Structure formats: C-alpha cells, structure tokens
Amino acid sequence: PPPPSLLSLSPICFLSLTLSLSTLRAPKIPRCPATCSCTKDSAFCVDTKAIPKSFPPGIISLTMVNAAFTTIPEGAFSHLHLLQFLFIENNDIQALSKYTFRGLKSLTHLSLSNNNLQQLPRDLFKHLDILTDLDLRGNSFRCDCKIKWLVDWMEKTNTSVPAIYCASPFEFQGRRIHDLAPRDFNCISADFAVYETFPFHSVSVESYEFNGDQFVAFAQPDSGFCTLYIWDHVEMVFRRYHNITSRSAVYCKPVVINNTLYMVVAQLFGGSHIYKWEEDPQRFVKIQDIDTSRVRKPNFVETFQLDGEWYFVVADSSKAGSTSIYRWNSNGFYSHQSLHPWHRDTHVEFLDVGGKPHLILSSASQPPVVYQWNRNQKQFAFFSQITELADVQMVKHFWVRKVLYLCLTRFIGDSKILRWEGQRFVEIQTLPSRGSMAVYPFTVGLRQYLILGSDFSFSRVYLWDDLTQRFQPFQELNMRAPRAFSLVSVDNKDMLLAASFKGNTLAYQHLVVDLSAK
C-alpha cells in the first residue's frame, strides 16, 4: 500500500508533484549522429548527407570524409563552439559561405584538403584568431582576382599553410600560390553607370571651364536652342544655367579667348552666329554672323590654336557650301580659308603630327582627306587621302604611348582603327559598328577607352589592351541615336556625357571596381 503521506494528497496535488519531479530529470544528452562514430571528445563522420545539427557535448575534434553535400552554409559549425580541430577532407566540397566558420573561436587546426574548391570567399578565416594550421592542398584553385585576398592573407598570417598550387588560368598553372604577389593580379576594373538624365534630345555636347566653374553646352534639335548647364558642387549634379535662343542649332562650340567666353552657334536655318558672354547683366550677346554663302548646312565645329592665334572651322554638309576656316583678330572671327567645296563634309578633326598641324575632313561623298598647314602661306593645303573607304562619318585621333592612332567610324560598314607608321596610316583593327555616326576616344587615369555610338543597337565601349595593342570589348550602353560625346572630370568624378538624337541625353559615371573585393 502507498505511504500514508501520499494517501493524504488530493489528486490535483499529486499531479502537480509528479510534474515537478519530471522537470528535475537530467536533460537528454545528444547522441552521436548515425553516420558518425564518436569518442569522449571527437567525432568521425562518413557519407554524411548534411552537417549534423547535434553532437555529444565536449567534442573538440570533428572529421568529415566522403560527404554527400557540395556546399557548406553560413554558421554550419556554430553549435560546436569548443571545436579545436576540424578536418573536412576527401569530399566534393565546391563552395563555402563567407561565414562558414563563424563562432569557432577555439579552432586551431583546419583542413579543407582534397576537395573541389576553386576559390574561397574573401576573409573566410578572418575571425579564426588562434588558427595555427591550415591545409588547403588537393584543390583546383583558380588564381584570379577572387583569390588575391588569400595571397594577401598568407603573406601576413602566422598560420602554417602547406604549399598549394594554381590549377588555372593558363598563365599561373602549376605555380605555388605562396610565390604569387598581389601585384600579379590586375583586379581593378570599371563600369559606366547612368549618373544623370537630361530630359531632352541633343545633337552636340561640349564641356568647358570658365571662371572656375565647369559647364556643358548642348544643341537641342527640338527647341533649336543652345542650352548650358553648370556643375553644382553642393548637389553634385549639373543644373540648367542659361539658354541661347536660336532657331535650329546643330552645334554649340564654346571657346575661351583672353578670359572671354564666346559661343559659335551653327544652325541649319537662319544663319550661324557667334555670341559673347557678358557678366553684367549675365547674358550672351550676338556679336557676329557667319557668311551663309559659305556655310549653308553646318554639321560640326572645331576650334584650335596655331602659332598663338585662334581659329575655328565649320564642316559644311551641303552640296553648295564649303568647309570654312575663321581666324580671331582681337575683335571677332574673320573668314580665313575655304576648304573642300561641294563634298558634303560631316566632321573635321585637328591634330598635330611631328609639329605639323593637320586637318582631317570626313565626307559623305568621298573618303576622308588630310590637309597640312603651310606656315609660310598660313594656309592649309591638300596633303593626302587616308584610305579608300567611303561612308566615313567621323575621324577621331588618340595617342597611346606616343603612338598616333585614328578611328574611322562608318554608318554602313565596319569602323577601322589605323596606326601612324611614319609615312602613312596602316589599318590594324576592324570594329563592328553598323549605324554608327559618332566615335569618341578618351582616357580615364591610365585607361584608354573608345566609344562607338549606334543608331540600331547598343553603343559599345572598348578598352585598349597594351598586350595586343588592340581594343577589346568592354561594355554596352543603351542610348538612342547618339551624336556626340564629351568627358567631364570634376569633384573626383569622371563622367561621359552622351548627346542623344532620339532619347534623353545622359551622363554616365565611370566607377572603379575592385574585383578582388567581391
């Protein structure tokens, strides 16, 4: 019979006592996982489908072989905070999380040997403060920018790491990763991202500095105006500054002479004009008309200096006009010379080759031609024809390591890169560019770029490769019918402005990207 003390308890009190006693029982000790064999302080797991979520207490050593998983997620071992030895060997592990080993503050020995790792997440071992031994042998490491951080870490750490080798790419194949240096990796890339959108179409864009401020001038085909924007150093954007009211502007060319700003406004109708900026009140005042008998259908304006004197040249694309040069004479620009009549010129490029000034004229009716400056006569004289190629819309020049190159862009055929060989230009590269009417070579830092606009597809940015001495495709930009480009560098920003004939005018920021930081 039960003791008298229990007989005196009510059913409710008895139940309460039973529950209280059950809570005092010792917690259930986790068992060794079915795929593992365990001792007092170690576990050895084979053919495990996933990392077990519980182990017997006191485990300081864990070995996993022939695992059936290929990735190890974040915090996979955080429940084993006493772990000192972790051996994940002879598996098909292909990827780790950056935080796979989070919480393993006591870990001293780690082995990832004989897996299928090609790269390791940046700072994978950052919080393993007392790690003394690391084994990464038997993996197929790809030695590119994503492993540069490991090279840096191995150079600075006191952790012992046996020799490991590159499996790829070809140039590093078989090399010891210990022998690589951070400078062996070219991990700085770039990206052009839309920075600012201007809500209008434009057919020309020119940037200039005046009185310590940065400006851009756009020719707008819809309004016919020349619109000026100024860089706002506080808001870090371009904001509208001034309009030159005109009827049909196709090109707005600024030129600063003796601290005075002039704007050459080339128009399809109503004649072309020259304006002067006045400070009080702030406005542009028309000071001169350009002879409409010479310049009937302007397409482009170029300014340059020769022997201390300022000139500008207007490319005329009409059948009856002629490309014309004007010279500054302290009061205004006056007609200096007519070039290339009846050829429907589309573009003029000024360049100096060996101290000899030249003009390259692109034309809708014949291949591009070169005029050379005669200092005695102070005139440009026909010098040569560059190529037999027709349909060249624009020719732009650029220099790479003191070597002169030209880019010829075409609307129907492929564009061409030519190199100056001392006596003539030699074609070295063809770039696909169907529908291209604008090309622009430019540099940002040490990087030489070239952008080819397109009316039919994406515009393409190319980057110069010093090894092959050719342009390589770099990025595609979505802009509609670009007609001109200009680079502006201000407040540690490099921006490429793109004048669009059929869409919004855009400003792209050149962003430097460290590929090793991903």
Side-chain angles (χ1 to χ4, degrees):
S5 58
L6 290 179
L7 289 173
S8 63
L9 291 174
S10 68
I12 294 177
C13 292
F14 183 79
L15 178 62
S16 175
L17 178 62
T18 303
L19 292 174
S20 298
L21 290 172
S22 68
T23 59
L24 295 175
R25 292 174 184 167
K28 188 176 181 180
I29 298 175
R31 294 182 179 180
C32 187
T35 56
C36 305
S37 59
C38 304
T39 65
K40 180 181 178 181
D41 58 4
S42 67
F44 190 97
C45 303
V46 182
D47 298 327
T48 307
K49 292 183 178 180
I51 296 172
K53 296 188 181 298
S54 63
F55 284 92
I59 294 293
I60 64 170
S61 176
L62 172 61
T63 301
M64 306 192 76
V65 297
N66 294 333
F69 50 87
T70 59
T71 62
I72 304 180
E74 175 181 336
F77 305 99
S78 57
H79 55 298
L80 298 170
H81 55 276
L82 298 178
L83 206 61
Q84 299 176 29
F85 302 87
L86 178 57
F87 306 100
I88 308 171
E89 301 175 333
N90 300 299
N91 304 287
D92 187 29
I93 305 300
Q94 299 173 19
L96 305 173
S97 162
K98 180 177 181 178
Y99 304 108
T100 286
F101 305 116
R102 174 183 278 170
L104 300 184
K105 294 290 187 181
S106 302
L107 197 67
T108 59
H109 291 71
L110 172 62
S111 175
L112 296 168
S113 65
N114 299 314
N115 281 286
N116 196 15
L117 294 166
Q118 294 189 30
Q119 61 189 53
L120 298 172
R122 185 181 179 90
D123 297 332
L124 178 64
F125 313 120
K126 185 174 182 179
H127 298 294
L128 303 181
D129 299 328
I130 60 172
L131 188 67
T132 58
D133 291 272
L134 172 65
D135 193 348
L136 297 172
R137 291 174 294 181
N139 287 285
S140 301
F141 287 115
R142 178 174 179 80
C143 295
D144 58 13
C145 290
K146 292 183 179 179
I147 214 166
K148 177 176 176 282
W149 76 269
L150 182 63
V151 175
D152 289 327
W153 181 82
M154 286 171 36
E155 200 173 73
K156 300 170 184 174
T157 187
N158 292 322
T159 302
S160 174
V161 185
I164 51 177
Y165 297 85
C166 301
S168 62
F170 179 77
E171 60 266 29
F172 291 139
Q173 196 172 41
R175 284 187 62 180
R176 283 203 335 158
I177 294 180
H178 290 72
D179 295 335
L180 299 177
R183 64 178 177 273
D184 291 327
F185 300 90
N186 182 18
C187 296
I188 303 300
S189 186
D191 182 57
F192 289 91
V194 174
Y195 184 83
E196 187 172 355
T197 300
F198 304 90
F200 53 77
H201 302 169
S202 58
V203 289
S204 80
V205 55
E206 289 279 348
S207 57
Y208 64 97
E209 291 185 29
F210 183 62
N211 287 342
D213 284 311
Q214 182 71 56
F215 297 85
V216 287
F218 302 99
Q220 296 187 40
D222 296 336
S223 66
F225 294 171
C226 280
T227 300
L228 275 62
Y229 275 67
I230 187 172
W231 177 254
D232 188 322
H233 295 277
V234 177
E235 297 294 329
M236 304 292 271
V237 294
F238 287 102
R239 57 178 174 82
R240 188 183 291 269
Y241 181 71
H242 194 82
N243 277 344
I244 298 178
T245 304
S246 48
R247 290 177 54 191
S248 56
V250 293
Y251 216 93
C252 309
K253 184 71 175 185
V255 56
V256 178
I257 303 174
N258 298 327
N259 297 319
T260 301
L261 172 63
Y262 300 90
M263 190 73 66
V264 181
V265 180
Q267 296 196 118
L268 285 180
F269 311 106
S272 298
H273 312 288
I274 301 172
Y275 293 80
K276 176 183 176 182
W277 176 254
E278 291 187 348
E279 290 291 346
D280 190 19
Q282 290 192 332
R283 60 177 181 166
F284 277 100
V285 177
K286 185 170 72 173
I287 62 168
Q288 190 176 341
D289 297 326
I290 295 175
D291 187 358
T292 54
S293 65
R294 296 172 182 268
V295 179
R296 294 173 178 265
K297 191 179 179 183
N299 200 71
F300 183 82
V301 181
E302 172 80 305
T303 58
F304 53 91
Q305 269 188 297
L306 281 177
D307 302 327
E309 295 186 300
W310 276 100
Y311 297 80
F312 77 82
V313 55
V314 182
D316 188 88
S317 59
S318 69
K319 293 181 180 179
S322 62
T323 293
S324 301
I325 301 173
Y326 292 81
R327 181 173 62 88
W328 174 257
N329 76 344
S330 77
N331 294 315
F333 285 97
Y334 290 89
S335 177
H336 181 76
Q337 185 182 358
S338 291
L339 299 172
H340 219 220
W342 324 110
H343 283 302
R344 300 171 61 195
D345 293 332
T346 55
H347 187 265
V348 184
E349 177 81 344
F350 175 80
L351 70 158
D352 192 296
V353 183
K356 296 179 180 179
H358 295 79
L359 292 177
I360 300 178
L361 275 61
S362 302
S363 170
S365 62
Q366 71 172 27
V369 294
V370 181
Y371 282 76
Q372 182 173 294
W373 180 250
N374 185 313
R375 281 195 163 83
N376 293 328
Q377 298 179 0
K378 289 195 172 183
Q379 297 273 315
F380 281 96
F382 178 82
F383 180 70
S384 67
Q385 182 174 291
I386 295 178
T387 174
E388 296 296 329
L389 291 175
D391 183 42
V392 175
Q393 299 291 318
M394 183 182 292
V395 175
K396 298 290 288 184
H397 80 283
F398 61 96
W399 297 84
V400 176
R401 302 188 187 281
K402 299 183 180 180
V403 178
L404 173 64
Y405 296 86
L406 298 180
C407 180
L408 285 62
T409 188
R410 304 166 72 204
F411 192 78
I412 298 174
D414 292 334
S415 293
K416 307 289 183 180
I417 303 296
L418 281 62
R419 182 175 60 218
W420 178 247
E421 299 286 4
Q423 297 295 326
R424 63 192 180 96
F425 285 100
V426 176
E427 180 182 324
I428 64 164
Q429 188 175 7
T430 296
L431 299 176
S433 60
R434 183 172 173 266
S436 180
M437 295 187 69
V439 62
Y440 185 64
F442 62 100
T443 59
V444 179
L446 299 176
R447 303 165 74 86
Q448 174 68 55
Y449 292 103
L450 179 101
I451 182 167
L452 274 175
S454 175
D455 279 17
F456 302 133
S457 64
F458 291 102
S459 296
R460 289 187 174 92
V461 179
Y462 293 85
L463 176 63
W464 183 261
D465 179 26
D466 277 330
L467 186 63
T468 61
Q469 295 190 5
R470 300 289 187 275
F471 279 110
Q472 302 296 331
F474 182 76
Q475 188 176 349
E476 291 184 337
L477 301 179
N478 187 12
M479 56 184 74
R480 299 184 61 193
R483 292 294 179 266
F485 303 98
S486 184
L487 183 72
V488 176
S489 297
V490 60
D491 287 337
N492 295 316
K493 297 180 185 297
D494 299 297
M495 282 170 289
L496 178 68
L497 290 108
S500 172
F501 180 53
K502 295 183 179 179
N504 287 328
T505 294
L506 299 170
Y508 291 86
Q509 185 180 4
H510 179 268
L511 300 172
V512 175
V513 180
D514 185 354
L515 297 177
S516 68
K518 291 185 177 181

